[in-house]
């Protein structure tokens, strides 16, 4: 493939520019109309919080990776260097995705010629679903470009006569990076072995040549292991467990193969999953369930094995249902409908006029409903006519297996779609060639098959299953909740309930927002309307207790919190609320025992630790207060209040040297807090470090020049004659 001609270089530049402009226009529209643009949710929120934690210096972490780490680490590095700006992050992702459009064009060119490359590259530049996913903080942003780069480089070596091994080592390294972004790429390794083997040149080779050629598949395997092994070593060092990349695989397999699995949404009998459930709580819950079912503490690898075992147990017990579900998921995989697991992709297009033009579902599900049937035709036509079709088809087939075993969503099938776009371009060009040659009989058969495939793959089967007219309004309610805009969140939940009266999650969230906006009578009414349908929901009962508490009816509130604790023994919130009531009544003994029960129910409940520590400090039990707050900071290293109070307690108890570390950590989490920096200056001063105390005060005054206390203390330090500090 030669890029010496200026028109070829110009085409690549225009392809990149077009893809980038499309993505930036969509981002601009989303920033104006999407309330969640600056408030990521679900998986995007998980990655964002993880990256922010890394940017604060927690690069090594404290436990085995639950998810593959490369995307969050890349995001964390970006935040460290360029700052925490979601606009800049998304622009960087748009640039990377624009390069992906170039890569798709180059793959099509290298595999089937320049014309295929041009069509495929342009199609990917305007591919609506990938433009949507570029606006989210998801692993596909990095995973797809890495996968495409590996395929393009492997194709180049596949078509080359060179016997060098080192390029295959590099290709394997890129595959390894893709694996620590999303591990299921490992299932496609045989497709790369195929290209590394160069079978077409070995039909008449001598034994020595065959042995020499085996070095290339070995090199690609070794290269793939190079990025993976440090992750494995890190898991062993930090988590004391031999997990190759992450331990999510077992849960994923069970989500795709259990009695209530539908192949399209995350469903499991043990956990009620909805977008309000944070991923850290999901992990905590599934880990706890595994340990409870095993009756002992489990390492992460054992937790993964537990869920894997449950999945295989279900498969063995229900082979007919399992095979039926696999065939159904295979159909869902190639159906034109875009199954969104973050949001409804079709409803999401309301935020962007351009995105609405790139994704639609009138007559067919555009664009995948048009491309999928053409891609199948392209695979059929090219299989026996091009030696590059074999490994590319193998990649699509192998990757499909990993999706069929889990969930057939738009995001999970996305990495194989670029190759399907390439095959679709092959089908279009071949069909056009037959029309030009006036082979009308063949054209009629070819067109008839294409039409039948198009009708079959655009059936509204998945659309009917996924039909949820209130989904986007519910997501908007969640976004407003995260932004603290409870009035607008309440309006969205009310809209959902008007559309779907039995949308329980919306009713539960609405009740809590009514409490937050002090509409207690309405909160009580909504909570009872929920509990009449689902009497054993602990969160709804807790909301009812909060509403009664807001009205001042403590007896009914305590009754609701007691029922909540009995309904869900792992929920710390009702005990925490009971402690607050006891404190208001002056019953500190009951408050202490209730805080302890909250911590026993949920060992990660930072607010309970913090309140208990403050209570101990108020009773001058400083050692107990310090122990509780230090435990809180170990479990919740980003919980600002615990660091502030830990330093404050140490300062108050006459241990200023010990107070410096937690106050410094708190200042790291909130560098703009004037009171916090003032307390740190006092800690340094009482420790005898007057120069550092002065430096902290001067830094405080540079951002808060009207801070009288800081100015007076600094004046005292610099002019000792005015009196002791």
């Amino acid at each position: 493939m030669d890029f010496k001609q200026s028109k070829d270089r110009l085409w690549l530049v225009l392809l990149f520019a077009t893809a980038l402009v499309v993505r930036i226009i969509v981002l601009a529209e989303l920033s104006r109309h999407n309330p969640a643009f600056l408030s990521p949710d679900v998986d995007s929120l998980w990655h964002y919080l993880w990256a922010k934690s890394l940017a604060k210096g927690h690069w090594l972490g404290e436990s085995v990776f639950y998810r593959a780490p490369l995307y969050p680490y890349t995001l964390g590095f970006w935040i460290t260097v360029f700052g925490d700006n979601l606009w800049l992050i998304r622009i960087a992702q748009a640039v990377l995705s624009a390069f992906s459009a170039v890569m798709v064009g180059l793959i099509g060119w290298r595999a089937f010629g320049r014309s295929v490359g041009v069509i495929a590259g342009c199609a990917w530049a305007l591919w609506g679903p990938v433009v949507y996913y570029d606006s989210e903080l998801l692993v596909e942003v990095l995973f797809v470009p890495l996968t495409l780069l590996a395929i393009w480089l492997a194709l180049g070596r596949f078509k080359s006569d060179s016997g060098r091994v080192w390029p295959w080592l590099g290709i394997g390294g890129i595959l390894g990076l893709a694996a620590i972004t999303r591990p299921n790429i490992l299932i496609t390794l045989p497709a790369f072995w195929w290209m590394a083997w160069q079978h077409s040149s070995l039909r008449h080779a001598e034994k020595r040549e065959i042995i020499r050629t085996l070095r290339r598949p070995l090199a690609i395997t070794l290269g793939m292991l190079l990025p993976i092994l440090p992750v494995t070593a890190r898991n062993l060092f930090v988590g004391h467990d031999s997990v190759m990349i992450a331990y999510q695989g077992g849960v994923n397999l069970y989500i795709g193969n259990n009695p209530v699995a539908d192949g399209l949404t995350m469903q499991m009998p043990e956990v009620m999953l909805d977008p309000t459930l944070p991923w850290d709580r999901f992990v905590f819950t599934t880990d706890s369930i595994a340990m409870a079912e095993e009756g002992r503490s489990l390492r992460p690898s054992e937790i993964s094995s537990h869920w894997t075992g449950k999945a295989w147990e279900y498969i063995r017990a229900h082979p007919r249902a399992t095979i039926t579900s696999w065939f159904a998921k295979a159909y869902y995989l190639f159906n034109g409908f875009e199954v969104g697991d973050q949001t409804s992709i079709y409803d999401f297009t309301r935020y962007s006029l351009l995105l609405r033009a790139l994704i639609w579902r009138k007559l067919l599900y555009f664009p995948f409903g048009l491309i999928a049937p053409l891609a199948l035709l392209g695979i059929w036509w090219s299989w026996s006519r091009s030696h590059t079709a074999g490994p590319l088809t193998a990649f699509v087939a192998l990757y499909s297996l990993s999706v069929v075993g889990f969930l057939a969503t738009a995001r999970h099938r996305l990495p194989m779609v670029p190759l399907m776009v390439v095959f679709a371009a092959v089908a279009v060009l071949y069909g056009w060639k037959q029309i030009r040659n006036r082979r009308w009989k063949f054209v009629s058969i070819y067109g008839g098959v294409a039409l039948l495939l198009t009708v079959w793959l655009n059936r509204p089967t998945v659309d009917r299953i996924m039909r949820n007219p209130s989904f986007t309004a519910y997501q908007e309610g969640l976004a407003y909740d995260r932004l603290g805009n409870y009035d607008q969140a309440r309006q969205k939940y009310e809209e959902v309930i008007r559309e779907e009266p039995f949308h329980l999650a919306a009713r539960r969230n609405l009740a809590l927002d009514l409490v937050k906006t002090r509409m207690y009578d309405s909160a009580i009414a909504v909570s009872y309307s929920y509990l009449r349908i689902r009497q054993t929901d602990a969160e709804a009962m807790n909301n009812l207790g909060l509403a009664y508490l807001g009205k001042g009816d403590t007896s009914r509130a305590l009754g609701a919190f007691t029922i909540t604790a009995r309904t869900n023994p792992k929920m710390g919130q009702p005990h925490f609320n009971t402690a607050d009531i006891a404190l208001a009544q002056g019953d500190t003994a009951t408050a202490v025992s209730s805080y302890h029960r909250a911590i026993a129910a949920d060992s990660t409940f930072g607010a309970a630790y913090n309140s208990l520590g403050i209570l101990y400090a108020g009773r001058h039990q400083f050692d107990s207060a310090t122990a509780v707050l230090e435990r809180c900071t170990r479990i919740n290293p980003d919980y600002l209040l615990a660091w502030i109070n830990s330093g404050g307690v140490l300062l108050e108890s006459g241990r200023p040297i010990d107070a410096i570390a937690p106050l410094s950590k708190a200042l790291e989490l909130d560098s703009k807090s004037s009171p916090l920096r003032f307390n740190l200056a006092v800690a340094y001063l009482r420790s005898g470090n007057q120069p550092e105390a002065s430096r902290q005060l001067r830094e405080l005054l540079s951002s808060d020049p009207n801070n009288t206390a800081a100015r007076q203390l600094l004046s005292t330090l610099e002019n000792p004659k005015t009196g002791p500090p």
Side-chain angles (χ1 to χ4, degrees), residues 3-23:
F3 296 113
K4 293 181 180 179
Q5 295 185 31
S6 59
K7 64 178 182 179
D8 293 335
R9 293 195 298 270
L10 178 62
W11 168 70
L12 293 175
V13 171
L14 289 176
L15 181 60
F16 173 82
T18 301
L20 182 59
V21 168
V22 166
R23 283 149 179 79

Side-chain angles (χ1 to χ4, degrees), residues 60-64 230-242:
L60 191 59
E62 298 178 348
S63 60
V64 171
V231 177
T232 307
R234 178 262 174 208
N235 284 336
L236 186 61
F237 174 75
V238 172
H240 310 291
D241 196 9
S242 54

Side-chain angles (χ1 to χ4, degrees), residues 552-614:
D553 191 342
T554 55
S555 60
R556 281 194 172 91
L558 285 171
F561 295 143
T562 301
I563 295 172
T564 302
R566 192 185 308 134
T567 303
N568 184 358
K570 288 294 183 181
M571 189 174 176
Q573 192 67 48
H575 301 294
F576 181 84
N577 297 336
T578 301
D580 283 350
I581 292 174
L583 275 182
Q585 296 173 342
D587 187 355
T588 56
T590 299
V592 169
S593 62
S594 295
Y595 284 135
H596 277 294
R597 281 195 291 271
I599 293 168
D602 181 357
S603 61
T604 66
F605 196 171
Y609 287 104
N610 185 63
S611 295
L612 181 60
I614 293 172

